[in-house]
Amino acid sequence: MRHSFLFLFAVAATLSGIPGFAQKNVSYYNEPYRPQFHFTAEKNWLNDPNGLVYYKGEYHLFYQHNPYGKGWGNMHWGHAVSNDLLHWKHRPLAIYPLEGTPDHYKCPAFSGSAVVDRNNTSGLQKGNEKTIVAIYTAMHCGQRVVYSNDAGKTWQPYPTPVIPVMKNGTMDERDPKVFWHEPAKKWVMVLYIGPDKDQQERGIAIYNSANLLQWEQKSFIKGMYECPDLFELAVDDNPAEKKWVLHGADGGYFIGSFDGSTFIPETEKIKMDLGNNFYAAQSYSDIPAADGRRIQIGWMNGGIYPDAPFNQQMAFPCVLTLKRFPEGLRVCRNPVTEIKNIYGEKFVITNKMVQPGSNILSAVKGDALDIHAVIEPGTAGSFGFVIRKGSYETSGTPVRYDARNKKLSVLGKTVDLEPVNGKIELRILADRASLEVFANGGKISLSGCFIPVYTFNDLEFFCEGGNVKVESMEIYKLKSAWQK
């Protein structure tokens, strides 16, 4: 996909310059700024998560990837698999540009999605394995299909585009997200369409298909931009009440109704993640009904990782739920419970009054942490956490709650946050160069990248202007998902 802020990525690429790459030894995935529980490519550029699909115990993660350098370009689909969304195994490249050489590609492999064709509607299945079908944008060459009959190990291209390049004056059609709509017994595709001479506003086209190979446009929704996703969620976990969510690359979403062909928004656009670094999120298809979660992974765009062989990282996988609040329905995001698989040493504090100038976390050190806290603001004007203490001036503002003005700030981004029953609940995932903060049950989330002084691993909880009460605080040091 094409982005308007590529200059940030060029800066990131110039800051990285290690020739070659370390083999699997004690230094594997252990560079100073290498995330320890967020997904990164072994080396070179990464952006949008693509083709998120679950099949036979494996979560497949495809992603936009430049195998030839640390800057955006030469788009292929990288590929990795995991059985717990934490411990990833790299697979060979899955999708290549259709034509060209490393110096000049025609039809680079832009973003898309993948599904399991369980009923062989496409007729592509050969053998006993169900066919995994990936639908993606071959830029300037239409929407294309590749498929696998060996559980995603190898991929075969379908010979012709399933949606040719449109003849309406635009080449900007991309990022197909496909799913099976059971009530209508048909496949649905949401596809970004850029503005053209007749259609003055960009938006999302909705298509239907019986077989994944022939598609018909049914409707169009204005005002959305790239990497769309459309899915259904139960309201307050009640299976008798469900709504549909239409989500775009910038994190904006509508809640509404969907009949298989037409989405009708019932809200204004709402922002799903309010941080500095969150883009092009996609949710998994084919999660078993016994699990039932809507699992999402986003790209933490624009992060900078000095002197690293890789560039960019994924956000941590989150479960999406739909909750009712006084102001209406909102999507909540919370980390998947599988993070417990890498829990290490645990620190617990309960019912503790904290005064300004004290640090109740002086014994806690680490560059990968999962922090759970419930705080009563008390008389304090503000309180929060300094992550990687000593890096403060280089990493931006810490996690801070302004109790008087009821605002939460994370790495310089500030949002409104009202207490619930007089308390603020915070969940913080801290990795070597990123913070993801989830507030009040995931109603608010902010994802951000930062550059700490990598040798500083202290943690501080502070309060200013008065005392606060820590009702509960649990902090887990996280083991590396990449080290045996």
Side-chain angles (χ1 to χ4, degrees), residues 186-349:
K186 57 188 175 184
W187 296 101
V188 175
M189 176 193 293
V190 283
L191 181 73
Y192 170 67
I193 307 292
D196 61 26
K197 61 184 179 182
D198 301 316
Q199 184 176 287
Q200 296 302 312
E201 189 172 359
R202 64 194 183 190
I204 305 302
I206 297 179
Y207 288 77
N208 288 160
S209 174
N211 61 7
L212 292 167
L213 303 177
Q214 286 87 37
W215 293 88
E216 180 182 2
Q217 184 174 342
K218 293 293 185 179
S219 59
F220 183 82
I221 303 157
K222 294 182 178 181
M224 299 289 282
Y225 180 56
E226 23 182 67
C227 297
D229 201 354
L230 179 61
F231 48 85
E232 191 177 36
L233 294 174
V235 177
D236 292 326
D237 300 319
N238 178 9
E241 183 181 4
K242 295 183 177 181
K243 289 293 181 181
W244 287 81
V245 177
L246 178 64
H247 178 261
D250 65 354
Y253 67 93
F254 294 108
I255 299 171
S257 61
F258 180 63
D259 63 2
S261 300
T262 303
F263 176 83
I264 300 176
E266 298 172 359
T267 65
E268 297 296 321
K269 189 184 289 188
I270 308 164
K271 200 69 178 292
M272 189 173 290
D273 186 282
L274 299 168
N276 292 316
N277 305 95
F278 187 82
Y279 201 78
Q282 186 177 115
S283 65
Y284 268 90
S285 71
D286 292 273
I287 297 295
D291 181 326
R293 294 177 296 176
R294 176 61 55 175
I295 301 172
Q296 180 196 66
I297 296 179
W299 164 39
M300 295 190 75
N301 61 316
I304 296 176
Y305 311 85
D307 299 321
F310 68 95
N311 193 357
Q312 305 299 296
Q313 72 173 57
M314 294 301 179
F316 191 75
C318 282
V319 175
L320 306 183
T321 54
L322 192 59
K323 302 294 183 182
R324 184 175 279 110
F325 296 95
E327 63 270 35
L329 296 175
R330 295 292 185 270
V331 174
C332 296
R333 301 178 66 246
N334 286 286
V336 295
T337 58
E338 285 88 341
I339 195 171
K340 294 178 181 179
N341 293 349
I342 56 171
Y343 275 1
E345 189 176 2
K346 178 181 179 180
F347 300 86
V348 178
I349 298 172

Side-chain angles (χ1 to χ4, degrees), residues 267-464:
T267 65
E268 297 296 321
K269 189 184 289 188
I270 308 164
K271 200 69 178 292
M272 189 173 290
D273 186 282
L274 299 168
N276 292 316
N277 305 95
F278 187 82
Y279 201 78
Q282 186 177 115
S283 65
Y284 268 90
S285 71
D286 292 273
I287 297 295
D291 181 326
R293 294 177 296 176
R294 176 61 55 175
I295 301 172
Q296 180 196 66
I297 296 179
W299 164 39
M300 295 190 75
N301 61 316
I304 296 176
Y305 311 85
D307 299 321
F310 68 95
N311 193 357
Q312 305 299 296
Q313 72 173 57
M314 294 301 179
F316 191 75
C318 282
V319 175
L320 306 183
T321 54
L322 192 59
K323 302 294 183 182
R324 184 175 279 110
F325 296 95
E327 63 270 35
L329 296 175
R330 295 292 185 270
V331 174
C332 296
R333 301 178 66 246
N334 286 286
V336 295
T337 58
E338 285 88 341
I339 195 171
K340 294 178 181 179
N341 293 349
I342 56 171
Y343 275 1
E345 189 176 2
K346 178 181 179 180
F347 300 86
V348 178
I349 298 172
T350 56
N351 296 320
K352 176 76 172 177
M353 293 299 298
V354 181
Q355 299 177 340
S358 62
N359 180 16
I360 60 175
L361 300 179
S362 59
V364 184
K365 300 181 186 298
D367 58 8
L369 302 168
D370 184 1
I371 302 168
H372 306 240
V374 179
I375 312 295
E376 293 182 16
T379 60
S382 63
F383 62 86
F385 293 85
V386 180
I387 313 294
R388 310 290 289 274
K389 184 181 178 183
S391 301
Y392 180 70
E393 292 185 359
T394 59
S395 63
T397 58
V399 179
R400 177 186 295 270
Y401 183 68
D402 181 339
R404 293 193 175 94
N405 295 304
K406 300 177 181 178
K407 293 184 181 294
L408 175 68
S409 297
V410 177
L411 298 174
K413 194 67 178 289
T414 299
V415 300
D416 294 329
L417 182 66
E418 290 282 339
V420 176
N421 298 322
K423 302 171 187 177
I424 295 296
E425 178 190 349
L426 296 176
R427 174 86 180 270
I428 303 169
L429 299 186
D431 210 336
R432 287 189 175 176
S434 64
L435 294 178
E436 291 173 278
V437 178
F438 308 86
N440 290 353
K443 180 185 179 183
I444 299 292
S445 66
L446 298 100
S447 301
C449 297
F450 71 114
I451 306 175
V453 177
Y454 68 84
T455 56
F456 294 173
N457 291 325
D458 288 352
L459 176 66
E460 179 184 5
F461 177 76
F462 67 89
C463 60
E464 299 168 334

